[in-house]
Every structure is written in structure tokens, then in C-alpha cells.
Amino acid sequence: MKNKKLLLGLAALVIAAVVLMMIYRTFAPRPVAGEKTITVEITHGDQSTKTVVLRTAAEHLGDALREQEGLVSGEEGAYGLYIRTVDGETASDEDRTWWCITRDGEELPTSADSTVIADGEQYGLSLLTY
């Protein structure tokens, strides 16, 4: 009886996961082909800012940021680029700092490499302390 309940619970969990994955794939943003212009506002640790306008055919933010020589660098991880350095300023574990990515002022729940971009969007890269 106990094993039957466990199997039913696991089956329900698997079904729920499949349904959620299908919903995500249906409603996830689709890459837009062609030239795009995006604006990236960089906020350094001292609160100084720099605005960079990128013209790109890239479909994802990570690729667009890498196209601009010396703008970002980092490490490849499970979710793509983990941004360590932006515009010459490096986040560090010792200082408990990291680069936050925003779109239109809202923090993104996705990595730079999985963020689909569209023409005219505004992004932010801010060095924050955790």
C-alpha cells in the first residue's frame, strides 16, 4: 500500500514536470532574427555609469555583450556565461560583489546567454554587493 502511494506520487510529479516544461516551451521568448540595437547601462561599484549602444545580429544578450571588444568577460558555467568583469571592473567573492543583469529596470531571472534580445531593449549591468 505504501509503495503504491509512493509510485502514484512520483507519477504525479513526473506529469507535473512535463506539463510545466510544455508550458515553458510554448510561452518562452523566441529569438528575433536580424539586426537589433540595444542599450546597456553599466553601473560600476562607485556608482559611476556608462551607456553603451550595441548594434548586433545576435539573438541572446551574452553573444551581443561578447561582440563588443573588452566589454564583458567571465566563466562558462552550467547556464552559460557567468559575468565576472564588465568594462574593466571585476566582481569578486572576497568583496562579495556580483554583476546583476536587468531589462527595463527589472532583474532578470535568466543568464545572459539564455536572455533573448529584441530591438530597442534597455539592459543594465550593475555591480552589487550581496
Side-chain angles (χ1 to χ4, degrees):
M1 186 65 134
K2 192 175 185 180
N3 286 339
K4 187 176 182 180
K5 285 183 181 180
L6 180 63
L7 287 175
L8 285 174
L10 286 174
L13 184 62
V14 168
I15 291 169
V18 168
V19 167
L20 288 174
M21 186 171 54
M22 289 173 58
I23 290 171
Y24 174 77
R25 287 189 174 186
T26 301
F27 295 105
R30 302 270 187 249
V32 178
E35 285 292 316
K36 296 169 255 332
T37 300
I38 62 171
T39 303
V40 180
E41 183 170 308
I42 301 164
T43 304
H44 289 278
D46 64 3
Q47 299 307 304
S48 64
T49 61
K50 176 180 181 178
T51 301
V52 178
V53 177
L54 301 176
R55 288 173 186 73
T56 182
E59 296 179 344
H60 295 89
L61 182 60
D63 294 330
L65 294 173
R66 285 185 193 95
E67 286 177 0
Q68 180 74 29
E69 184 82 22
L71 185 61
V72 300
S73 64
E75 304 157 5
E76 292 298 321
Y79 302 103
L81 176 66
Y82 178 73
I83 298 173
R84 283 283 192 187
T85 302
V86 176
D87 193 36
E89 185 168 16
T90 302
S92 74
D93 294 335
E94 294 81 35
D95 293 336
R96 299 175 53 112
T97 54
W98 64 288
W99 285 100
C100 176
I101 306 171
T102 59
R103 178 174 39 218
D104 299 324
E106 297 290 323
E107 187 174 339
L108 291 177
T110 55
S111 70
D113 283 347
S114 61
T115 300
V116 175
I117 60 175
D119 189 46
E121 289 182 325
Q122 308 278 323
Y123 290 91
L125 293 170
S126 302
L127 187 66
L128 301 179
T129 304
Y130 58 91

